[in-house]
């Protein structure tokens, strides 16, 4: 059985076809066959491909195809959408339209590409097992002269794009940037035998330039999902939304910590709930509100119960005593036992409720290992060489999962590397310790410098290894937080979004091939020089890191010490060369020229910002005003809307006086 290691695969097409491109670069090599395994033992996942070449033709010698797209008479919205995706891009690649027909209107001799849960597909033995492949998984199989694709609610759309990848090498890279073969006049049917399930069941696109994209197909093509977790009342930190202190504290003071929220001094707001003094009374009242939320959101099965967003915990005597029982190292206090027992109790009670049972759902609870709840009540077992629960009472119920947020890790290197000053040691330990007491881990990681959106945050070294580690240690959800609030992002974040989407689907991909394919398709003739800019920047970061000038966390890099002016000048000169490289495209394809020009401009924003912000003395007053105005206009054009987290570029224009 052959295991495929990427969904970016070369298609089996006959020689003599003409290559076409939509919205991307114009270099010759547009596709990659990515089949690299990392040395880390991470299991195989479900990425199975037993496809072999076929003899049947979908299109032969340019003649009209005999194939149609078959759908069920009761096709779902997503099945209809998937059928439309296949039809749309088949037309773009071949110039031919595949009719979409209700299968009841077809004869048994009609040649079909069957989309979704059709009777014809079931008769051919092509069934989809959601329990094995999850909502995002899919199958593609050839039976006789028919092609059958089926999948979960989201998976059917992913299956459509995978089929197009196999037929025409189609691959999305960014907004309005994808490769597809064109002018295809001869197309052989492959004997497809593909089964796919993403490594991370839920893949939340935590980047504003993805979630706010104008490209209707982008989210499907990137194989992202909605995340799957119901953050109750629309907030990640919600315990006080269930039990607001203003409502309950006076009558039930034991439900709240005696110490106040240290980030809100003098306001009388408790730090957290107390999970030890009146846990039965607290749980009874909590369940009333929680049940309402569960019943009001029938499309969710995972619901969050997350502590308040501060660095405090309950400091009553009983909470301190409980923490002491589980703390083996004074430098690493474990204060989560009461929280875990509460989550387990809620999971048991909500799933025993008759009204909830009637919905047919198994409700899962999501806690969060964050700030004072980061450390897990686990211990290292010398005999097995693994972490184990400290006792059975702190092992998470099978219906409880934990979202781990290593917020201060050194992301310049992987979790299992020390990092600067050993920063990553406790975070890697926690990853293993939590995985020892829960079968499902949700991960909230960070890939951005929130103090400066204009500067690159270089976690390109660690991305793949970290994704592999998170998958190895029971990861089923990933929220890799980037510029979640920005309309578009400079400093190589578009590339990062692409890599994130591919790694979340399959952590074994050929990472370097993905980067090379992105540059070739995204920048076209300017690929080589833009790659130089990218690697020169990364080499500079490596130098700073090795000399202790970069700590690998989320420090601001917009300083003259970090960015010498001559280096910025070198980068900007290469960007000018990139513009020159695409100049011939202006005459041959003006639309594509403008797209690639804007992509180059987007990356130029980072370096221009540093020079215009840090080196004003290098300009005359007139030059500075002119360059800053041009910079502003380009930010507007390419939709860069923030200077740093929640800080609009409008504040920058005010500071610059433009």
């Amino acid at each position: 059985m052959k295991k495929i290691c990427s969904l970016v695969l070369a298609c089996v097409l006959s020689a003599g076809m003409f290559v076409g491109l939509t919205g991307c670069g114009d270099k010759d090599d547009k596709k990659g066959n990515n089949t690299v395994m990392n040395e880390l033992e991470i299991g195989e996942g479900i990425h199975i491909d037993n496809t072999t070449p076929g003899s049947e033709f979908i299109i032969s010698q340019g003649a009209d195809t005999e194939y149609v797209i078959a759908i069920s008479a009761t096709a779902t919205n997503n099945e209809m959408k998937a059928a439309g995706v296949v039809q749309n891009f088949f037309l773009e690649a071949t110039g031919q339209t595949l009719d979409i027909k209700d299968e009841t209107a077809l004869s048994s001799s009609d040649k079909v590409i069957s989309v979704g849960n059709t009777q014809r597909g079931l008769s051919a033995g092509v069934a989809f097992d959601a329990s094995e492949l999850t909502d995002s998984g899919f199958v593609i199989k050839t039976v006789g002269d028919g092609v059958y694709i089926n999948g979960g609610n989201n998976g059917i759309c992913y299956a459509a794009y995978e089929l197009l990848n196999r037929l025409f090498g189609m691959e999305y890279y960014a907004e309005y940037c994808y490769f597809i073969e064109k002018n295809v006049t001869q197309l052989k049917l492959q004997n497809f035998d593909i089964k796919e399930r993403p490594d991370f069941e839920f893949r939340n696109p935590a980047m504003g330039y993805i979630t706010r994209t104008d490209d209707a197909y982008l989210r499907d093509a990137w194989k992202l999902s909605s995340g799957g977790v119901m953050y109750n009342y629309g907030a990640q930190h919600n315990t006080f939304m269930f039990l607001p202190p203003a409502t309950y504290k006076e009558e039930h003071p034991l439900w709240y910590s005696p110490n106040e929220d240290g980030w809100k001094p003098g306001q009388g707001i408790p730090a957290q709930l107390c999970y030890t003094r009146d846990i039965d009374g607290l749980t009874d009242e909590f369940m009333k509100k929680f049940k309402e939320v569960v019943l009001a959101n029938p499309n969710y099965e995972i619901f969050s119960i997350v502590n308040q967003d501060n660095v405090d915990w309950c400091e009553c005597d009983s909470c301190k005593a409980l923490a002491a029982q589980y703390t083996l190292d004074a430098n690493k206090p474990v204060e989560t036992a009461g929280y875990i027992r509460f989550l387990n109790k809620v999971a048991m009670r909500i799933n025993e409720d008759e009204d909830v049972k009637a919905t047919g759902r198994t409700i899962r609870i999501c806690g969060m290992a964050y700030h004072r709840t980061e450390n897990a009540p686990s211990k290292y077992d010398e005999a097995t060489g693994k972490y184990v629960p400290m006792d059975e009472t702190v092992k998470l119920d099978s219906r409880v999962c934990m979202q781990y947020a290593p917020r201060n890790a050194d992301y310049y290197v992987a979790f299992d590397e020390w990092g600067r000053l050993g920063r990553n040691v406790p975070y890697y330990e926690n990853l293993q310790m939590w995985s020892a007491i829960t079968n499902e881990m949700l991960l909230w990681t960070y890939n951005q410098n929130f103090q400066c959106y204009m500067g690159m945050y270089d976690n390109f070294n660690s991305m793949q290894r970290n994704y592999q580690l998170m998958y190895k240690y029971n990861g089923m959800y990933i929220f890799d937080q980037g510029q979640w609030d920005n309309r578009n992002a400079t400093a190589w974040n578009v590339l990062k979004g692409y890599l994130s989407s591919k790694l979340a689907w399959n952590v074994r991909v050929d990472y370097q091939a993905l980067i090379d394919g992105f540059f070739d398709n995204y920048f076209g003739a300017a690929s080589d020089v833009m790659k130089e800019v990218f690697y020169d920047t990364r080499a500079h970061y490596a130098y700073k890191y090795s000399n202790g000038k970069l700590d690998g966390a989320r420090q601001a890099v917009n300083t003259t010490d970090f960015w010498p002016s001559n280096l910025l000048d070198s980068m900007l000169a290469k960007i000018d060369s990139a513009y020159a490289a695409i100049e011939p495209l202006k005459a041959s394809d003006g639309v594509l020229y403008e797209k690639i020009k804007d992509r180059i401009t987007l990356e130029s924003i980072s370096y221009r910002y540093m020079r215009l912000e840090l080196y004003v003395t290098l300009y005359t007053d007139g030059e500075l005003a002119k360059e800053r105005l041009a910079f502003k206009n380009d930010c507007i054009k390419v939709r860069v809307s923030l200077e740093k987290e929640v800080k609009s570029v409008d504040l920058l224009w005010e500071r610059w006086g433009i």
Side-chain angles (χ1 to χ4, degrees):
M1 182 176 292
K2 179 184 176 185
K3 306 292 181 183
I4 65 169
C5 297
S6 173
L7 299 180
V8 189
L9 299 171
C11 59
V12 182
L13 296 172
S14 61
M17 292 184 185
F18 297 97
V19 174
L21 187 69
T22 299
C24 287
D26 57 352
K27 296 194 68 149
D28 292 333
D29 184 13
K30 301 297 190 298
K31 296 171 290 181
N33 188 0
N34 308 317
T35 55
V36 169
M37 278 289 289
N38 189 281
E39 63 183 6
L40 184 69
E41 292 297 327
I42 53 175
E44 294 181 335
I46 299 181
H47 307 286
I48 301 170
D49 179 16
N50 291 319
T51 298
T52 60
S55 57
E56 181 79 19
F57 282 89
I58 298 175
I59 299 175
S60 179
Q61 304 297 330
D64 291 344
T65 183
E66 298 177 20
Y67 279 78
V68 298
I69 298 173
I71 58 172
S72 166
T74 58
T76 66
N77 287 339
N78 271 6
E79 287 173 343
M80 290 294 297
K81 182 177 180 179
V85 166
V86 174
Q87 182 187 58
N88 181 69
F89 289 108
F90 191 94
L91 174 63
E92 183 169 337
T94 69
Q96 296 196 36
T97 298
L98 294 173
D99 291 333
I100 299 174
K101 294 187 176 183
D102 181 335
E103 64 175 335
T104 59
L106 299 173
S107 70
S108 59
S109 62
D110 285 327
K111 296 180 179 181
V112 300
I113 297 175
S114 170
V115 176
N117 200 30
T118 63
Q119 288 299 316
R120 190 159 178 155
L122 293 175
S123 298
V126 184
F128 173 76
D129 184 353
S131 64
E132 178 191 22
L133 299 180
T134 75
D135 176 78
S136 293
F138 60 82
V139 293
I140 303 177
K141 193 172 180 65
T142 300
V143 180
D145 57 13
V147 179
Y148 301 87
I149 70 173
N150 205 348
N153 184 51
N154 287 310
I156 189 61
C157 293
Y158 305 150
Y161 281 101
E162 180 63 10
L163 177 65
L164 292 163
N165 177 274
R166 300 308 185 93
L167 294 176
F168 309 114
M170 184 178 179
E171 175 74 354
Y172 259 87
Y173 295 95
E175 187 177 17
Y176 301 119
C177 178
Y178 60 89
F179 168 81
I180 190 170
E181 299 275 3
K182 281 197 173 183
N183 302 314
V184 175
T185 59
Q186 187 151 301
L187 178 64
K188 268 192 175 181
L189 172 64
Q190 302 166 53
N191 294 317
F192 294 118
D193 189 1
I194 297 168
K195 183 185 288 188
E196 278 285 336
R197 183 183 74 186
D199 288 343
F200 290 88
E201 181 179 352
F202 300 110
R203 304 156 309 284
N204 203 332
M207 304 171 190
Y209 40 99
I210 297 175
T211 57
R212 294 171 178 81
T213 179
D214 295 323
D215 192 333
Y217 295 111
L218 185 61
R219 286 173 59 87
D220 291 333
W222 278 17
K223 300 181 176 64
L224 296 164
S225 77
S226 62
V229 181
M230 175 62 192
Y231 287 114
N232 311 311
Y233 298 114
Q236 285 86 356
H237 304 277
N238 55 28
T239 51
F240 283 3
M241 294 182 178
F242 287 107
L243 298 176
T247 303
Y248 294 102
K249 183 185 175 186
E250 184 175 350
E251 185 175 352
H252 300 283
L254 298 184
W255 293 0
Y256 301 93
S257 62
N259 53 303
E260 295 184 359
D261 184 339
W263 289 355
K264 301 174 182 177
Q267 297 184 30
I269 300 174
Q272 302 286 348
L273 292 179
C274 173
Y275 298 108
T276 61
R277 290 180 292 174
D278 182 17
I279 189 61
D280 291 333
L282 181 146
T283 305
D284 288 343
E285 189 64 26
F286 181 93
M287 290 302 301
K288 296 175 184 177
K289 298 288 185 68
F290 186 61
K291 178 180 173 179
E292 290 177 5
V293 170
V294 170
L295 294 178
N297 292 278
N299 295 324
Y300 287 88
E301 294 187 358
I302 304 177
F303 292 81
S304 71
I305 302 174
V306 176
N307 43 293
Q308 295 308 111
D309 189 7
N310 58 51
V311 295
D312 303 297
W313 200 241
C314 182
E315 296 181 1
C316 73
D317 290 342
S318 57
C319 281
K320 287 182 178 179
L322 184 62
Q325 294 179 35
Y326 292 92
T327 298
L328 302 178
D329 181 349
N331 294 317
K332 195 171 184 180
V334 177
E335 302 176 287
T336 48
Y339 181 45
I340 290 171
R341 292 172 183 174
F342 172 71
L343 298 178
N344 285 345
K345 188 185 294 283
V346 171
M348 178 186 68
R349 289 185 55 174
I350 197 67
N351 284 289
E352 290 178 348
D353 184 272
E354 293 300 326
D355 294 331
V356 174
K357 282 183 181 179
T359 69
R361 292 176 290 168
T362 297
I363 302 302
R364 292 186 284 179
I365 308 300
C366 171
M368 195 170 192
Y370 177 74
H371 287 315
R372 293 278 284 272
T373 58
E374 270 193 23
N375 299 328
S378 304
K379 61 184 178 181
Y380 188 73
D381 182 8
E382 295 287 352
T384 62
K386 296 180 180 179
Y387 286 93
V388 296
M390 293 182 70
D391 62 49
E392 288 301 309
T393 70
V394 292
K395 186 173 182 179
L396 272 67
D397 184 285
S398 62
R399 297 157 297 189
V400 177
C401 46
M402 189 63 67
Q403 184 166 37
Y404 176 44
R407 68 195 188 287
N408 288 323
D410 179 352
Y411 286 91
Y412 186 80
V413 296
F415 292 144
D416 61 344
E417 298 182 47
W418 269 57
R420 179 154 304 285
L421 302 177
R423 183 194 295 271
N424 281 353
V425 172
Y427 297 105
Y428 184 46
E429 287 180 349
N430 278 336
L431 180 63
Q432 298 173 80
M433 292 172 76
W434 279 113
S435 73
I437 61 176
T438 179
N439 294 324
E440 294 181 324
M441 288 275 286
L442 290 83
L443 289 309
W444 184 315
T445 52
Y446 302 87
N447 68 44
Q448 183 54 50
N449 179 348
F450 296 101
Q451 300 304 310
C452 181
Y453 278 3
M454 299 292 186
M456 184 174 82
Y457 181 68
D458 189 1
N459 65 321
F460 291 100
N461 289 316
S462 66
M463 279 186 74
Q464 182 166 36
R465 184 74 171 187
N466 278 346
Y467 275 60
Q468 290 176 341
L469 287 166
M470 291 185 288
Y471 171 69
K472 176 180 179 180
Y473 292 111
N474 301 335
M476 49 80 73
Y477 166 106
I478 189 163
F479 181 87
D480 197 7
Q481 187 175 352
Q483 294 184 19
W484 60 273
D485 49 350
N486 208 353
R487 187 63 181 84
N488 206 358
T490 184
W492 308 104
N493 278 287
V494 176
L495 168 61
K496 193 175 293 183
Y498 171 69
L499 295 174
S500 175
S501 72
K502 305 302 285 188
L503 290 169
W505 186 274
N506 187 340
V507 299
R508 304 158 192 77
V509 291
D510 184 335
Y511 189 63
Q512 186 59 53
L514 291 180
I515 293 174
D516 291 341
F518 177 89
F519 273 90
D520 287 349
N521 286 281
Y522 189 69
F523 291 112
S527 171
D528 289 343
V529 65
M530 291 304 291
K531 201 178 292 185
E532 285 184 28
V533 178
F534 174 65
Y535 284 116
D536 283 354
T537 305
R538 293 197 59 209
H540 177 60
Y541 274 63
Y543 171 76
K544 289 294 187 181
Y545 188 82
S546 66
N547 285 279
K549 302 296 184 181
L550 180 70
D551 70 6
R554 298 187 296 278
Q555 74 189 73
V557 295
N558 50 334
T559 66
T560 54
D561 179 62
F562 196 91
W563 282 107
S565 62
N566 61 339
L567 179 60
L568 292 170
D569 289 345
S570 173
M571 301 294 190
L572 292 170
K574 289 182 178 181
I575 286 171
D576 285 340
S577 297
Y579 287 126
I582 65 168
E583 190 65 22
L585 192 60
K586 185 188 294 186
S588 60
D589 190 337
V591 173
L592 180 57
Y593 168 80
E594 289 297 332
K595 288 181 179 179
I596 298 177
K597 181 183 176 184
D598 283 351
R599 294 168 194 161
I600 296 170
T601 298
L602 179 63
E603 298 308 331
S604 80
I605 293 295
S606 174
Y607 307 100
R608 291 160 65 193
Y609 168 85
M610 297 299 174
R611 201 174 194 280
L612 291 167
E613 176 76 351
L614 304 176
Y615 293 103
V616 294
T617 59
L618 298 181
Y619 302 87
T620 66
D621 290 345
E623 289 172 339
L624 183 63
K626 179 180 178 181
E627 290 297 323
R628 283 181 166 177
L629 182 59
F631 177 86
K632 175 182 177 180
N633 290 335
D634 281 342
C635 282
I636 294 170
K637 188 171 189 290
V638 298
R639 297 171 298 154
V640 172
S641 57
L642 298 177
E643 183 183 10
K644 57 184 177 180
E645 189 176 31
V646 304
K647 299 297 183 183
S648 170
V649 287
D650 290 342
L651 299 175
L652 176 62
W653 313 146
E654 290 179 15
R655 192 167 75 242
W656 282 0
I658 56 174

